[in-house]
Amino acid sequence: AHLAYFTNNFLRKAGPSEWGICAVDRDSPRSQALEGYLKKNDFHYKLIMKGKEAKEEHDIQSIRNFINLGQHPENALKQLCEPTTRICTLTITEKGYYCDVNTGELFVDNPEIQHDLKNPDKPKSTIGLICSALNYRRKNGMEPFTVLSCDNLPGNGHITENAVTQFAELLDPELSNYIEGVTFPNSMVDRITPQTASAEDPIVSEDFAQWVVEDKFCNGRPYWEILDDILLVEDVIPYEKMKVRLLNGSHSALSYLSYLAGHRDVDQALASTDVKEFVKMYLAEVAVNVPEVPGIDIVWYQQKLVERFSNPNIKDQVQRLAEDGSSKLQTTMLPVIREKGELGQPMPIMALAVAGWIRYMAGVDDFGKEIKIVDPLADKLTPIAQKVLSTRDTRPFLLAVFGDDILEVRGFSTQVQAWYERLLKEGVWRVLDSLDEFAFGFASTSSTEFQTPTVESAFSGKTLDQLISLSYNDLQSMFDTYDKDQSGFLDLEEVTTLLKDFIEKIKETLPTSDFDKVLGIKVKTEEEKKEVVDNIIGSLPDVENEYAVKLVLARLDANGDGLISPEEFVERFREVVQINYQTVKNELTVVESKTTAVDLAPRTFAGSWRHMEGWVNRVRNYARERGKKLQRSLSSSTEK
């Protein structure tokens, strides 16, 4: 959707040309399918560019060949050794550079790097492939090629040069001198392109496209000046900072909180007023640390980003944006956090974004559904994030991902901690909804105490609204009842039994419950009531799922010893069960999607009841979609 698209446009404008693309990809089932599709279609494919109201279809014909590096490394190496190869472009993500993008240090111990140093004729890594090809060209008296990174990394050319130079010194000391003649231009790529389901699907992108390139090529380049969307400049850094800090940073920031709130498509998330306002506040906070960019109004750019994110025809996936946070945040957020710390600038919204990431990395969303974590440090960070659910101390996570000096950034770690506690106690919906108050100084990041309704009755005799409004006395009584061995603690088996009984009681009370009183929904017929009951029952947790029960146990277990004390249970079970109702916003937008609002109801115990308020909003919108008249006020018992 980017390089091949621009090259295709260039060929159409310039006429017959020597320029074309040979694509090289790592081996995977997807790349194998892609190779088969391209060869079957003479290397042509469709690109559909979608705006809010119109779309354009392009037949891309700029690719001439496709090589699977994993299966045929010798063919990829041969192509780079050809004198006709003048530019090697990279789109390999942060992981593909095998280096610390902050320090530039090469991961020398990486297995693929070690393999390529020992087997330069059959490289596995991109860095190994480039150095082997350059070494061949050096030995045969050939001109080098330009190495042009197109990844979303600040100073991507500098990062590439660092990695290649360090590898070259290890491979062949004489190669280092030759590489002095190689150029590594910085570039900034800007186009939103969601993943496709299969190799045969057309590529879909937004209708916005921009490419800013440092004009520094050692072996020629196409005459890109004839294309309007390519800007050739002497210094790309201001453009990079603008794009990486604003677009990529806000993409990551919105992804974690949106996913926790139940959104799966980016445009659906932006249709929520609360998420949109969060994105606007994030952009405004970060824009202070973006240098002046020639020819671009930063305020206009922020407005354009919100417009682009909201495009309903680009079904970009929230989870795609959430991938690889441990590497993305190193470049999109960490430099800004450090700058703000040095300058004494406030950064509460960035702190909220990081708190959302820590919450996301625990592997379960705000509705209790398991999250598939895709991150190079998932094995290290997810256990830490899960432990934070119990300890409520976010510092070990921050240290593990950002380093020791992150705690020295003025006020940052304490704000992350405060937001994290609010996310757990109130849920992401409540926190996002409070941002308008926060923005005008009526609220702070600090957690607020809950007022527990005083409902004094036996557990067995409770109605639905009483079950979700438990008092301290109720909780203490429940603890004593399920502490079967009278050890003074609840273990996993006892917690499981408690949850099963609690859920069964909820199911039992549902058919006779007053939904107008509990949820603010009027049902006129028995058929409508049965539909609501069936949907609520379907949303209740599967207490046979040991993973879900263990997550509840982790939230209750403050000291992480696997046993729940009376104090832990009484204080923390309230967070798991407590419902904090709030009046539904009159203008809350209903977004059409393949999934109905009720289907997004929470699936585990913690999500079902602690974050009921967000789910209630969805139930109400579902009712509104069906043309039901809703009450805009809640009963006094519900408001408690």
Side-chain angles (χ1 to χ4, degrees):
H2 201 266
L3 177 67
Y5 162 74
F6 281 129
T7 305
N8 196 70
N9 287 352
F10 172 79
L11 295 174
R12 288 182 179 277
K13 279 196 171 184
S17 171
E18 61 184 345
W19 294 100
I21 297 172
C22 172
V24 179
D25 200 0
R26 295 173 66 88
D27 186 33
S28 69
R30 184 176 179 84
S31 66
Q32 293 173 23
L34 180 60
E35 180 180 16
Y37 174 81
L38 287 173
K39 288 183 176 178
K40 181 175 66 176
N41 291 278
D42 197 27
F43 297 101
H44 293 190
Y45 66 90
K46 297 293 183 185
L47 167 64
I48 301 176
M49 295 163 44
K50 293 184 176 181
K52 279 193 172 182
E53 299 176 354
K55 66 178 183 179
E56 297 178 10
E57 187 170 305
H58 297 260
D59 182 26
I60 305 300
Q61 303 178 23
S62 53
I63 295 180
R64 305 284 189 260
N65 194 13
F66 184 101
I67 299 174
N68 186 314
L69 174 63
Q71 294 184 355
H72 304 290
E74 67 285 351
N75 291 349
L77 183 57
K78 180 181 178 182
Q79 179 64 56
L80 280 178
C81 292
E82 292 288 342
T84 53
T85 300
R86 299 185 181 183
I87 303 172
C88 173
T89 67
L90 307 179
T91 309
I92 55 178
T93 76
E94 294 94 330
K95 296 178 290 188
Y97 292 85
Y98 296 98
C99 70
D100 185 321
V101 295
N102 290 312
T103 65
E105 182 180 358
L106 184 71
F107 297 146
V108 178
D109 295 331
N110 182 277
E112 289 197 356
I113 295 295
Q114 284 296 313
H115 171 275
D116 292 356
L117 288 171
K118 297 172 183 176
N119 305 277
D121 56 333
K122 294 183 178 180
K124 291 184 176 182
S125 72
T126 303
I127 302 302
L129 174 64
I130 290 172
C131 286
S132 291
L134 289 173
N135 209 23
Y136 175 89
R137 295 171 83 109
R138 175 187 70 83
K139 292 177 179 178
N140 289 274
M142 300 167 59
E143 290 291 320
F145 48 73
T146 298
V147 183
L148 174 59
S149 171
C150 298
D151 280 301
N152 291 319
L153 295 168
N156 50 16
H158 301 319
I159 290 171
T160 308
E161 184 174 8
N162 259 333
V164 169
T165 301
Q166 289 177 71
F167 187 96
E169 291 172 350
L170 297 172
L171 180 66
D172 187 337
E174 295 185 17
L175 179 58
S176 298
N177 293 330
Y178 178 78
I179 285 180
E180 291 180 1
V182 179
T183 53
F184 299 86
N186 290 302
S187 74
M188 186 276 280
V189 171
D190 194 355
R191 164 164 273 189
I192 297 173
T193 307
Q195 291 175 335
T196 54
S198 71
E200 298 193 356
D201 292 336
I203 305 298
V204 176
S205 78
E206 63 174 336
D207 56 357
F208 180 91
Q210 186 179 45
W211 193 16
V212 183
V213 187
E214 183 181 10
D215 196 2
K216 187 172 68 173
F217 292 78
C218 62
N219 198 357
R221 62 166 176 80
Y223 189 67
W224 283 322
E225 285 86 347
I226 64 175
L227 300 180
D228 295 334
D229 294 330
I230 298 181
L231 185 61
L232 295 155
V233 299
E234 291 185 6
D235 185 10
V236 175
I237 299 302
Y239 299 90
E240 280 182 347
K241 284 187 174 181
M242 176 189 71
K243 192 260 181 172
V244 171
R245 294 184 175 190
L246 293 178
L247 187 150
N248 299 114
S250 61
H251 256 172
S252 293
L254 76 89
S255 68
Y256 304 117
L257 294 172
S258 296
Y259 195 96
L260 292 171
H263 299 296
R264 298 298 177 260
D265 293 326
V266 177
D267 66 294
Q268 182 191 52
L270 267 290
S272 162
T273 303
D274 292 336
V275 174
K276 179 178 285 188
E277 288 305 310
F278 165 76
V279 172
K280 289 180 179 178
M281 292 173 72
Y282 180 92
L283 290 170
E285 189 172 285
V286 174
V288 176
N289 302 88
V290 174
E292 184 177 346
V293 182
I296 295 182
D297 183 334
I298 294 296
V299 174
W300 169 86
Y301 188 73
Q302 294 175 65
Q303 294 169 345
K304 188 68 177 178
L305 288 180
V306 174
E307 177 186 323
R308 291 164 63 189
F309 294 168
S310 304
N311 186 345
N313 294 318
I314 298 297
K315 287 298 178 184
D316 203 1
Q317 303 83 24
V318 170
Q319 196 159 26
R320 179 186 79 86
L321 307 186
E323 293 178 358
D324 303 333
S326 64
S327 52
K328 287 180 179 177
L329 269 63
Q330 297 285 344
T331 57
T332 59
M333 293 190 191
L334 185 57
V336 182
I337 291 167
R338 285 181 171 147
E339 280 184 26
K340 286 185 175 294
E342 292 172 0
L343 297 172
Q345 296 172 342
M347 48 183 145
I349 305 303
M350 296 194 76
L352 172 56
V354 173
W357 177 46
I358 298 173
R359 175 67 186 82
Y360 173 91
M361 288 296 290
V364 60
D365 68 13
D366 254 14
F367 300 146
K369 295 181 182 178
E370 186 175 354
I371 301 173
K372 183 181 178 182
I373 302 295
V374 179
D375 192 286
L377 296 182
D379 292 343
K380 174 185 178 182
L381 295 180
T382 295
I384 299 175
Q386 290 177 347
K387 188 173 182 180
V388 175
L389 284 174
S390 298
T391 65
R392 309 296 169 93
D393 184 359
T394 57
R395 288 174 299 178
F397 189 97
L398 294 174
L399 291 171
V401 72
F402 293 138
D404 294 344
D405 62 338
I406 192 65
L407 300 184
E408 298 174 9
V409 176
R410 209 179 320 176
F412 177 69
S413 62
T414 55
Q415 285 193 324
V416 172
Q417 179 71 35
W419 281 122
Y420 183 84
E421 290 181 5
R422 284 196 60 187
L423 287 171
L424 287 187
K425 290 186 176 183
E426 303 172 45
V428 65
W429 283 94
R430 178 83 178 215
V431 170
L432 288 174
D433 184 65
S434 73
L435 288 182
D436 53 349
E437 300 173 0
F438 176 80
F440 290 100
F442 299 128
S444 68
T445 57
S446 300
S447 170
T448 56
E449 291 298 322
F450 292 103
Q451 294 184 355
T452 308
T454 56
V455 182
E456 298 182 3
S457 59
F459 174 75
S460 58
K462 290 187 182 299
T463 60
L464 179 61
D465 57 326
Q466 291 172 333
L467 284 169
I468 57 183
S469 302
L470 296 167
S471 71
Y472 279 111
N473 290 338
D474 295 327
L475 294 166
Q476 184 64 58
S477 176
M478 288 172 64
F479 182 93
D480 294 339
T481 301
Y482 288 93
D483 182 16
K484 300 296 185 182
D485 57 5
Q486 296 184 337
S487 64
F489 297 92
L490 297 182
D491 58 22
L492 178 61
E493 182 178 350
E494 291 167 335
V495 170
T496 302
T497 303
L498 185 154
L499 292 178
K500 285 182 179 179
D501 292 349
F502 194 76
I503 296 301
E504 285 305 314
K505 184 62 181 178
I506 290 171
K507 290 180 179 179
E508 178 187 324
T509 62
L510 274 172
T512 58
S513 296
D514 183 348
F515 292 129
D516 184 18
K517 178 181 180 182
V518 180
L519 299 176
I521 295 178
K522 285 186 177 295
V523 289
K524 297 180 179 179
T525 66
E526 286 301 314
E527 182 180 351
E528 290 176 354
K529 184 168 186 176
K530 183 179 183 302
E531 182 179 0
V532 174
V533 169
D534 289 344
N535 277 296
I536 294 176
I537 290 177
S539 76
L540 292 174
D542 178 10
V543 289
E544 302 298 332
N545 184 337
E546 186 178 351
Y547 178 77
V549 177
K550 282 184 176 179
L551 282 171
V552 177
L553 183 72
R555 297 202 59 162
L556 300 175
D557 187 9
N559 59 14
D561 62 1
L563 298 173
I564 311 303
S565 69
E567 294 78 13
E568 289 172 330
F569 180 79
V570 170
E571 180 63 31
R572 295 197 169 193
F573 198 76
R574 295 172 62 215
E575 295 178 12
V576 175
V577 180
Q578 182 71 39
I579 301 175
N580 300 291
Y581 287 103
Q582 56 179 320
T583 303
V584 178
K585 290 190 174 181
N586 293 340
E587 292 82 20
L588 193 61
T589 305
V590 178
V591 181
E592 294 184 1
S593 65
K594 295 180 181 179
T595 307
T596 65
V598 172
D599 287 336
L600 289 176
R603 298 289 178 186
T604 71
F605 184 81
S608 292
W609 303 105
R610 183 172 64 80
H611 294 289
M612 189 67 153
E613 62 176 358
W615 180 79
V616 166
N617 289 343
R618 286 172 166 72
V619 173
R620 287 180 167 174
N621 284 320
Y622 175 73
R624 187 190 301 177
E625 281 186 294
R626 296 176 59 82
K628 296 183 176 65
K629 184 178 179 181
L630 303 180
Q631 287 190 333
R632 298 199 180 279
S633 62
L634 304 173
S635 65
S636 60
S637 61
T638 304
E639 285 180 345
K640 287 184 180 179

